[in-house]
Structures are given as structure tokens and as C-alpha cells.
Amino acid sequence: MSRIEQFREKLKERNLDGFVLYNMESSNRSSSWYLSGFSGSFSVLIITPKSEYIVTDSRYFTQVEMESKFKLIPYKNGDELKDIIKAALLDDGANHVGFEEETISFGLYKRVFSHLGVELEPADSILKDMRMVKTADEVEKIKAAVKVAEDALTETLNFIRPGRTEEEICATLEYEIRKRGGYLAFETIVGSGPRSAIVHGRPSKRKLQTGEFLLIDYGARVDGYNSDITRTYSIGNATDEMIKVYETVLKAQTEAKRAAKAGVIGSYLHELAASIIEEAGYGDYFGHGLGHSLGMDTHDGQGLSPKNSAPIPAGAVITVEPGIYLPGKFGVRIEDDCYFRENGIEVLTNLDRELKIL
């Protein structure tokens, strides 16, 4: 069954006979790409009982023909989106129509969606649930993104030494990703010394010094799919406290991965890792969730959050990334991308996890 056929089955289960997906300036690019094959920044997908349409402007007419089987409805200057969408829905007999309320603003709802003349129902979960369960082809694309990212970091490690700035390391890593045909999955995080305790710290002009940690959180995007990897390195020999914290984080990650498999409750794995960090005396310094779903977006759905009481489905790719962050001192995070199966997980990332001295 094709992806659009699966989607239509999901619509029927919700008693929906239509669907509208809005993507403006890449606001919902991933879902549009996932469903239609079109990777451009502006599109409105219209699913009716009779057909599938894509509305976009002249920048993308040729690209739509190359990438998608959806029927093109040209959007021209002066056209009103609400009139185009309404005509497609009503002409094809769509009366009960789903949409993704989390991806549109209240202003857009008032300008466009409230004028469609159909019964609207929020139906965000349909695509969210579909996207969370990866096909074999999708997993291979994530593996390709992992390889680009890991090869890039392996090369960048040769550049890292005391005196280099965080910005220089970031620029080198991002260049190595692009040189290998990848794009950035998200804004690269590079933090050294006390700045490694900033969970999402942007790289600065700070120079690396001997005897401190360097934390790098980054990812590559290949063919629309992302990797997300974090490694923490010691610049020169680490102190006893640094080693203790690092080994605690590694143990928390190892035990969580050992217990991970399809069907496990997301919050259970988080609490398992958190309990190990708590027992070591660092419970107050692990404040984020253990991991998130990964795919066409770097946060692609439910994950290992303390608030997620749902079982993880077979086919999900989720990060496992415990951390400890001591303000004014240092931080440690280790992150792997994991493919959930019925009998366990396949760890897609391959870089060493033991503490590496640079």
C-alpha cells in the first residue's frame, strides 16, 4: 500500500473525506514532502474523495512535475488561497475535512480555513503517527545521514586542539558535512569548559583549554532525513570529578538502551536513566527528556519524555541522550540514534562512547 493510500485509510477511520495541509516558507515542509514528495518551501496539499492536489506558485511548477504525482493547481498573483482550496474541496464532494491545527496560526485560520465552507476537524495525529513509524527505506536514509555526520566529526577531531575556538570547530565540522553532500540538521552546538554546561549553547569565540570538556551536538540531513549525535570529549586529561560525571552519563545511556524496545513506555526509559543519575548524586542536573523521535524533523514526534505515557511503536527512530550539567563547571551529554524493534533496538550511531582524550 502506498503512503497516500495509507493516509486515505487513516482518514476513513476518522470519518474524514478530505484533508488540507498548509506549508508556507517551510512551516510544514516535512509533512508536505512526506505525503506528496514535493520538497519546496510553499505548498498547500488538498486531499479530496476524488484526487490529490498541490497548490504552489511559479517558482515550483517544474519541481512539482519532477517530484510529485499530485495534480498541480497554479497559484498566481491576486489569487485567494481560500477560494482555491474551497473550490477543490466542494467540487470533489469533501465535506468533513481534517487539518493540522498545530502548524497554522490563528491569523491564518481566520483568513483562510474559516472560509472553506466545510466542517473542519483537527487531525494532527494522523501524519504524526505515520511519520513516527519508519519504513526500511527511511531508516536507510537516516543511516546515510549518520554516516555523513560521523565521517565529518571524525575528520574534524584532527583539527581540535587547545587554542582553537568553538566557532572555528563549528565551522570546520559544518564544512565537512557539506563537503560530503549533507546539510545541517539543526544549528550546531559546540560548548567548552563551563560553556559545555549550557544544554543548547551556541558556539562562541572562547578558546579551548587543557583539562576541560568539549561538548558537540550536531547532525546531518541527507535526502530529507536527519541524524542527531552528541559526543563529549576531554581536552587533555580529565579530573576525577569529570570522569565520574562522564561515566554516570554513559551508564545511564547504556542501561536505557539495554531496556529499550518497541512497546516500552517512553517515560519508563526516561525514569530509568534519571534514577541512575539521581543515585550518583546529580539528579538536579538532568533536566531534559531522555530522547525524541527523529526523522524528517529532528523532533519528529513523541519520544522518551517523562510526560510520554504511550508505548514506543516498532519502527520508531529515537535518540537516547542523557546528560549532566554542572553550572560554572562543565556538562556531559552522550547521544545515539536508535531504531526500535520488537526485541530491542538497533543503534544507528557508531562513534566511540568511552571517554576520548583529545
Side-chain angles (χ1 to χ4, degrees):
M1 184 182 295
S2 70
R3 188 169 287 171
I4 190 63
E5 289 172 336
Q6 288 180 297
F7 184 72
R8 285 187 172 280
E9 287 297 316
K10 299 292 184 182
L11 290 178
K12 288 180 182 178
E13 292 172 8
R14 296 280 294 270
N15 294 316
L16 296 170
D17 52 20
F19 196 87
V20 177
L21 187 150
Y22 184 86
N23 167 46
M24 172 63 78
E25 298 302 327
S26 299
S27 64
N28 201 11
R29 181 177 187 167
S30 297
S31 285
S32 176
W33 193 348
Y34 178 86
L35 195 58
S36 71
F38 173 66
S39 62
S41 67
F42 168 51
S43 55
V44 179
L45 306 187
I46 307 170
I47 315 298
T48 74
K50 297 181 180 180
S51 193
E52 301 93 32
Y53 305 97
I54 181 168
V55 181
T56 193
D57 60 39
S58 60
R59 294 173 297 168
Y60 294 119
F61 291 168
T62 300
Q63 187 173 336
V64 166
E65 292 178 1
M66 295 172 62
E67 294 181 342
S68 181
K69 295 181 180 179
F70 280 42
K71 295 178 181 178
L72 173 64
I73 300 178
Y75 177 73
K76 302 174 183 177
N77 288 335
D79 288 346
E80 288 285 350
L81 268 178
K82 63 178 184 292
D83 295 335
I84 294 173
I85 299 170
K86 181 177 182 178
L89 292 172
L90 298 184
D91 288 351
D92 283 4
N95 299 297
H96 189 195
V97 177
F99 72 107
E100 292 188 321
E101 64 177 349
E102 294 180 11
T103 63
I104 65 172
S105 67
F106 182 55
L108 177 64
Y109 183 86
K110 288 195 298 181
R111 290 194 311 273
V112 177
F113 283 79
S114 64
H115 297 283
L116 299 184
V118 297
E119 180 185 358
L120 290 170
E121 180 179 326
D124 302 66
S125 62
I126 296 178
L127 276 174
K128 281 185 177 181
D129 291 346
M130 285 182 64
R131 284 178 54 182
M132 191 164 182
V133 178
K134 273 48 178 195
T135 64
D137 180 61
E138 288 179 293
V139 174
E140 288 303 312
K141 290 178 179 179
I142 295 173
K143 287 181 177 179
V146 167
K147 179 170 175 50
V148 166
E150 294 192 327
D151 288 350
L153 181 57
T154 298
E155 182 62 34
T156 301
L157 293 182
N158 297 321
F159 174 80
I160 296 173
R161 61 179 61 93
R164 302 291 196 196
T165 69
E166 295 168 358
E167 288 179 344
E168 289 171 337
I169 294 166
C170 178
T172 300
L173 177 57
E174 293 180 353
Y175 168 71
E176 294 295 338
I177 289 172
R178 292 293 290 116
K179 190 167 71 173
R180 288 165 173 79
Y183 295 86
L184 299 184
F186 51 90
E187 190 172 358
T188 301
I189 295 167
V190 178
S192 62
R195 297 193 73 260
S196 60
I198 304 173
V199 179
H200 283 173
R202 292 181 175 181
S204 73
K205 298 184 184 302
R206 185 183 188 277
K207 294 181 179 181
L208 272 61
Q209 301 175 31
T210 300
E212 63 184 23
F213 275 139
L214 170 67
L215 185 152
I216 301 174
D217 185 345
Y218 75 113
R221 187 175 77 249
V222 176
D223 200 12
Y225 286 78
N226 297 290
S227 57
D228 187 356
I229 306 167
T230 307
R231 290 294 184 266
T232 305
Y233 300 104
S234 180
I235 307 302
N237 292 328
T239 65
D240 290 344
E241 183 182 29
M242 291 166 66
I243 293 171
K244 178 185 177 183
V245 169
Y246 190 95
E247 290 181 346
T248 299
V249 173
L250 181 58
K251 180 181 178 182
Q253 193 207 37
T254 300
E255 293 303 317
K257 289 192 296 185
R258 184 174 290 125
K261 62 179 179 179
V264 72
I265 303 300
S267 60
Y268 168 77
L269 288 183
H270 172 88
E271 294 304 328
L272 174 62
S275 68
I276 293 171
I277 293 173
E278 177 75 31
E279 289 170 6
Y282 298 105
D284 292 338
Y285 304 104
F286 174 41
H288 58 74
L290 180 63
H292 54 83
S293 181
L294 180 69
M296 296 187 82
D297 289 322
T298 49
H299 287 73
D300 210 40
Q302 289 274 20
L304 311 181
S305 161
K307 296 181 180 180
N308 183 19
S309 59
I312 302 299
V317 175
I318 297 178
T319 66
V320 180
E321 49 177 307
I324 295 174
Y325 313 93
L326 305 180
K329 290 186 175 181
F330 56 81
V332 174
R333 182 164 65 252
I334 307 169
E335 178 182 21
D336 287 313
D337 304 339
C338 302
Y339 176 43
F340 279 62
R341 295 176 171 175
E342 298 289 352
N343 59 348
I345 60 170
E346 177 185 353
V347 181
L348 306 182
T349 34
N350 304 290
L351 292 171
D352 290 341
R353 295 164 194 89
E354 298 298 328
L355 181 56
K356 187 178 182 68
I357 309 297
L358 300 181

